[in-house]
Amino acid sequence: MLDYAWIIAFIPAVSFVAILLLGRKFPRHGSEIGIAAVGASFVLACVAVVQWINRVENATGASAFKALGKGFVAKAGEHEAVVKPVVHSVTWWQSGGLKFGAGTQIDGLAVVLLFVVTLVSLLVHVYSTAYMHGDRRYTYFYAALSLFTASMLLLVIADNTLQLLVGWELVGLCSFMLIGHWWEEGANSNAALKAFFTTRTGDVGLMIGVIVTFFAAGQTFNIVSINEAALAGKGGHALWLGGAVCLLVGIIGKSGQFPLHTWLPDAMAGPTPVSALIHAATMVVAGVYLGARVYGVFWQGFSIDAGGVNAMALIGGVTIIIGALLAFVQDDIKKVLAYSTISQLGYMVMGLGVGAWTAAVFHLFTHAFFKALLFLGAGSISHSGSHHSFDMKRDMGGLRKYMPITFTTFMIGSAALAGLPPFAGFFSKDEIIATAGHFGYDAFLYIGLAGAFLTAAYMTRAIYYTFFGEFRGHGQPHESPPAITGPLVVLAAFSVFAGWLNATVVHVEKFQQWFEPRFAFPTQVIHPSFRFGEGAIAVIVALAGVGVAYAYYWRGVGHGVTERNPLARLGYRFLLNKYYLDDLYERVIVAGIKGPIARAAYWTNQNLIDAVINGVGKGTRAVGQFTYDVIDQRVVDGAVNGIAEASGETGGLLRYMQSGRVQWYAAILFFAVAVLSLALIVFS
């Protein structure tokens, strides 16, 4: 399967076309086509994962699935064998002496994403059969889901940055389509446009970065060649620094990093299954994947091995805090989770920036399960508990009694997100924090701990408003149907057990052994061993966040502080207005550009375009009048009338020759013969 990985992306692409053309004729209006297609892709992705693990294990001389011993606990140096990616490429097009290829590159990173994308997409497809039942564009929704999945898979398997860029833009297009699924409502279409244009801003940087790395690597888009050239320092450090900065701008836009994070909470206007797919396995994950895929560029450009501070780590660290703080002032449960995603993506970007490649990708892996679980849990609450509302304060409360499966799975997802053991988030987030503390990025260690405290606190707040107290909504809440709760249970299981793939606390590092690159990858990357002291501090900090939130929301300790304290009130208002970044972007930058452009366009329309059109109209009228008066009336009509008059006069003359007398006709004939004879005599 590693040699034919393109089939994994091709199947949902075919599904997209099939649903559009035939979906309405099927009993379930095309959803069965989408589910079957992504299900097939998931099975093939699992095959690819197993084959890749066997490839790695064979290189190290170990058996792939020994439950204990060598195959389970890797020995020092055992996983250092070089395992090259499986690359297949064909010439896409040629320009002069340059050949541009299209192909697949399958390695540990690729198979991890193939598994995550297909699994989450499959669960979202199944979940949507109940959640989107009766939707006015049900068939279109499933077609768009298939295209979304295919686009992300195309991005994942790309062996060159140009093909990756195609998948990148297709993912952006699909997110625009699905965020604005209910486009009749102005807020939804505005959210789709905001997401589209904000991420396009970052894409400008990405495109420039692709061009810079193309020339820096010796005029090639090939990802392996780019990483090799970057790590070798080919062309000088400044060139790779410029490429890294430009590519980072693309990550900032796509992965919702500060300061281009403002589109992501508004994207909640789309259907909840779409939110789960965007936040867990597609769109925003694409940015982090890009950082991991061309990591050699960032390693060289930002001198990551030097420690201290670099742009990538700084952007990620700032985003952790600003995203977590904004989650505290949201009443919409989906927006709480959206800001949570921004913060967790900050962990991943910071992890890449501080040299924690494996930890960052591992957090991407585990985060996909518990974030998809939380979003689909929010959808379950809206579908069956709060009468299609996401307002925690107004329409929820006390739902744990009515929705036990949703409550239990949501609690598991929240614990994993908060980084509490033994859930998946503890292992991945703790490794990022630990690497920051061991690789000369000490400041980011404290940022990571602060983020853990805030995460635990805002999720405790969300749980309180949603599941505890008295029910504040209307109607009769009840548990969701199996099509919704089934995916929740599956994701909850992954949220519990996925972290044990790299549980350094018990010396299990299978994720690192199987999926970390060993070719065209920095050899200086370190993997700090687990320290119980640091792990204990991380857990204590998270539990402290839970405790503070419990004291505030359950016990009322500190209630009313924003009314009593002017500084607290100012801070609350600052958060409520989202740091005024939307005002800056929309009322200052956009309005400052849009207003003058609109006025200039209006002036141009009135004074130039209209003048030209009016001039052409007047000229056309004058030409028409001239044509009528001169050409039509005098020339054409004059000629026709003259011919008619000449014909009439000639006929009048010939009339005298038609007397009816035979003698007259004989005389004329005799005269004609005489004239002809005379002519023959004269001219002969």
Side-chain angles (χ1 to χ4, degrees), residues 289-478:
Y289 174 80
L290 172 66
R293 174 52 79 202
V294 291
Y295 194 55
V297 177
F298 296 103
W299 183 272
Q300 176 64 239
F302 291 140
S303 302
I304 291 174
D305 57 333
V309 176
N310 62 62
M312 195 172 206
L314 182 62
I315 289 295
V318 170
T319 305
I320 290 172
I321 303 302
I322 65 104
L325 289 174
L326 288 174
F328 281 100
V329 296
Q330 306 303 315
D331 295 338
D332 185 315
I333 190 172
K334 283 176 64 177
K335 288 193 175 182
V336 172
L337 299 176
Y339 282 114
S340 169
T341 299
I342 291 171
S343 182
Q344 297 304 308
L345 290 168
Y347 271 104
M348 300 172 205
V349 174
M350 186 186 80
L352 293 173
V354 302
W357 188 95
T358 299
V361 175
F362 189 44
H363 195 51
L364 183 156
F365 174 73
T366 60
H367 176 265
F369 304 126
F370 53 74
K371 186 50 61 71
L373 170 60
L374 291 171
F375 267 108
L376 296 184
S380 175
I381 294 165
S382 169
H383 184 272
S384 305
S386 59
H387 198 65
H388 306 293
S389 170
F390 293 98
D391 193 313
M392 299 183 297
K393 288 186 176 181
R394 188 184 63 188
D395 297 313
M396 298 182 190
L399 291 177
R400 71 185 190 282
K401 296 177 292 186
Y402 306 100
M403 309 181 73
I405 299 176
T406 301
F407 169 68
T408 302
T409 55
F410 197 91
M411 290 292 290
I412 291 172
S414 299
L417 179 62
L420 297 176
F423 302 99
F426 165 74
F427 299 103
S428 55
K429 189 185 295 184
D430 182 73
E431 189 171 347
I432 294 175
I433 296 172
T435 305
H438 284 75
F439 211 20
Y441 293 96
D442 297 337
F444 297 99
L445 166 66
Y446 300 108
I447 290 175
L449 290 174
F453 174 87
L454 295 173
T455 302
Y458 67 66
M459 286 310 299
T460 303
R461 170 183 179 267
I463 290 169
Y464 170 76
Y465 282 129
T466 305
F467 295 106
F468 289 86
E470 296 298 323
F471 180 61
R472 296 177 293 276
H474 56 281
Q476 181 58 45
H478 55 86

Side-chain angles (χ1 to χ4, degrees), residues 90-102 162:
V90 297
T91 299
W92 182 7
W93 55 285
Q94 187 169 347
S95 177
L98 294 177
K99 292 184 178 181
F100 301 91
L162 195 61

Side-chain angles (χ1 to χ4, degrees), residues 393-579:
K393 288 186 176 181
R394 188 184 63 188
D395 297 313
M396 298 182 190
L399 291 177
R400 71 185 190 282
K401 296 177 292 186
Y402 306 100
M403 309 181 73
I405 299 176
T406 301
F407 169 68
T408 302
T409 55
F410 197 91
M411 290 292 290
I412 291 172
S414 299
L417 179 62
L420 297 176
F423 302 99
F426 165 74
F427 299 103
S428 55
K429 189 185 295 184
D430 182 73
E431 189 171 347
I432 294 175
I433 296 172
T435 305
H438 284 75
F439 211 20
Y441 293 96
D442 297 337
F444 297 99
L445 166 66
Y446 300 108
I447 290 175
L449 290 174
F453 174 87
L454 295 173
T455 302
Y458 67 66
M459 286 310 299
T460 303
R461 170 183 179 267
I463 290 169
Y464 170 76
Y465 282 129
T466 305
F467 295 106
F468 289 86
E470 296 298 323
F471 180 61
R472 296 177 293 276
H474 56 281
Q476 181 58 45
H478 55 86
E479 187 57 90
S480 296
I484 289 179
T485 56
L488 297 183
V489 172
V490 173
L491 290 168
F494 276 98
S495 299
V496 173
F497 298 111
W500 291 94
L501 273 177
N502 221 58
T504 55
V505 62
V506 290
H507 307 291
V508 176
E509 297 178 335
K510 300 308 290 184
F511 189 90
Q512 173 192 329
Q513 178 189 347
W514 289 337
F515 305 124
E516 182 178 277
R518 304 296 170 197
F519 184 76
F521 188 74
T523 57
Q524 303 95 321
V525 170
I526 63 171
H527 309 93
S529 58
F530 181 83
R531 296 187 179 183
F532 282 96
E534 293 177 348
I537 291 173
V539 174
I540 291 170
V541 167
L543 291 175
V546 174
V548 169
Y550 177 81
Y552 185 84
Y553 294 104
W554 268 270
R555 300 302 180 187
V557 178
H559 269 199
V561 65
T562 54
E563 287 79 16
R564 297 191 303 270
N565 189 308
L567 187 60
R569 183 165 59 251
L570 183 64
Y572 179 77
R573 188 175 302 164
F574 187 59
L575 292 177
L576 204 59
N577 287 282
K578 297 174 285 189
Y579 309 117

Side-chain angles (χ1 to χ4, degrees), residues 231-302:
L231 293 172
K234 181 179 179 180
H237 178 264
L239 193 59
W240 294 107
L241 174 60
V245 169
C246 292
L247 293 176
L248 179 60
V249 173
I251 295 174
I252 290 171
K254 190 71 84 180
S255 288
Q257 298 295 283
F258 176 84
L260 297 181
H261 64 278
T262 56
W263 69 270
L264 197 52
D266 289 1
M268 299 303 97
T272 300
V274 172
S275 301
L277 196 56
I278 288 176
H279 287 250
T282 56
M283 190 65 172
V284 298
V285 173
V288 178
Y289 174 80
L290 172 66
R293 174 52 79 202
V294 291
Y295 194 55
V297 177
F298 296 103
W299 183 272
Q300 176 64 239
F302 291 140

Side-chain angles (χ1 to χ4, degrees), residues 188-212:
N188 298 338
S189 58
N190 288 339
L193 289 170
K194 184 176 182 179
F196 186 80
F197 287 119
T198 304
T199 54
R200 293 291 79 70
T201 302
D203 290 354
V204 173
L206 172 63
M207 292 177 186
I208 296 173
V210 168
I211 294 170
V212 171

